[in-house]
Amino acid sequence: MLTSGSRELVFTEESWMVLCLFPEQMAATRELVTPGDSAAGNGQRSHLGIPEAVFVEDVDAFMKQPGNESVDIVLKKLDEQYQKYKFMELNLAQKKRRLKNQIPEIRQTLHILKYMQKKKESPKPLETRFLLADNLYCKASVPPTDKVCLWLGANVMLEYDIDEAQLLLEKNHSMATSNLESLEEDLDFLRDQFTTTEVNMARVYNWDVKRRNRDEPPKAVVA
């Protein structure tokens, strides 16, 4: 968390990644928009602050801009930007896979909690099976209880009331589902950016080929 004036800026893992990959673009931004904020006040998501690739409509004017002294320099810059977009896509895709695996596990745990909640007033023990090792299950008899233990990660387990555990998991499920939807939008946005960058690279390269052909002196025709 960083403080800018009177406002605290909360950086997520993805925000830090964007800040490291695109320092010049982020430095030019007057205020970092966090994933929950709207972009430019129009209600659109900021897509983690990932800079948008601008389509090069007029290559002649583009090549006259400061810093675009030669085609090689421009193509190198565009290729670096393309590789950064691809790196971001790879990391977001990995996070998407983790969420897609996590959501069914949360649903299954919620289903178990609801079943335990129904059985907690019953005098009969709950007959179940637990995973002892890979592909090896063992029978267990669980006495009626209103307490459960949840793994929170980093080798940390806490005891909760069943109602509290259910509320926590429902909140986690809602958050994971929302994050998954946001990730899918961010991945679609990223694919648009490196597609635009690829098109820009092709336009600059073709512009250079035409320029060289135009500047090349005509070959003498032998009668």
Side-chain angles (χ1 to χ4, degrees):
M1 179 182 295
L2 297 180
T3 303
S4 177
S6 60
R7 182 184 178 188
E8 290 183 339
L9 301 180
V10 180
F11 288 89
T12 63
E13 178 184 351
E14 291 79 15
S15 298
W16 277 115
M17 189 181 303
V18 173
L19 188 61
C20 293
L21 290 176
F22 304 96
E24 295 180 359
Q25 291 89 334
M26 298 305 294
T29 304
R30 297 181 61 182
E31 183 178 25
L32 178 64
V33 181
T34 57
D37 295 335
S38 61
N42 57 9
Q44 296 180 354
R45 293 184 63 251
S46 65
H47 297 290
L48 304 174
I50 300 171
E52 184 175 1
V54 180
F55 176 69
V56 179
E57 182 71 31
D58 189 344
V59 183
D60 289 316
F62 177 73
M63 294 302 297
K64 294 177 182 178
Q65 293 179 4
N68 297 343
E69 288 81 8
S70 68
V71 172
D72 291 338
I73 293 177
V74 172
L75 290 178
K76 182 179 179 181
K77 289 181 180 178
L78 291 173
D79 183 65
E80 289 177 353
Q81 186 178 21
Y82 176 81
Q83 296 301 327
K84 291 175 182 178
Y85 285 138
K86 295 294 287 185
F87 180 77
M88 281 291 300
E89 183 198 28
L90 176 63
N91 282 272
L92 293 183
Q94 291 175 347
K95 186 172 182 180
K96 178 182 175 180
R97 284 193 294 269
R98 289 197 300 268
L99 284 174
K100 292 187 74 172
N101 291 331
Q102 182 183 10
I103 290 174
E105 292 178 357
I106 297 176
R107 288 175 182 167
Q108 184 180 14
T109 306
L110 276 170
H111 177 74
I112 295 173
L113 285 178
K114 291 177 181 178
Y115 184 76
M116 291 181 65
Q117 197 170 34
K118 292 179 182 179
K119 295 293 184 180
K120 69 179 181 180
E121 303 297 337
S122 174
K124 297 181 180 180
L126 174 64
E127 300 294 334
T128 184
R129 292 178 175 83
F130 67 92
L131 184 64
L132 188 62
D134 290 340
N135 299 321
L136 178 60
Y137 289 83
C138 184
K139 287 186 177 181
S141 179
V142 182
T145 179
D146 60 351
K147 302 289 185 180
V148 293
C149 293
L150 297 180
W151 283 107
L152 302 182
N155 295 324
V156 176
M157 176 182 282
L158 287 182
E159 184 181 76
Y160 291 89
D161 293 334
I162 291 181
D163 294 336
E164 291 178 345
Q166 185 173 341
L167 289 175
L168 176 63
L169 290 175
E170 287 175 348
K171 179 181 178 181
N172 290 347
H173 180 267
S174 175
M175 185 178 301
T177 303
S178 176
N179 289 341
L180 181 60
E181 294 175 355
S182 298
L183 276 175
E184 290 175 346
E185 293 179 10
D186 294 330
L187 283 168
D188 289 339
F189 176 79
L190 267 175
R191 294 186 186 103
D192 290 340
Q193 304 322 301
F194 59 71
T195 298
T196 302
T197 306
E198 285 178 331
V199 173
N200 288 341
M201 293 172 68
R203 287 177 60 83
V204 171
Y205 179 82
N206 293 335
W207 174 88
D208 184 52
V209 171
K210 293 180 179 178
R211 180 184 62 83
R212 292 184 181 183
N213 291 338
R214 184 175 62 250
D215 296 343
E216 184 178 342
K219 295 182 181 179
V221 179
V222 179

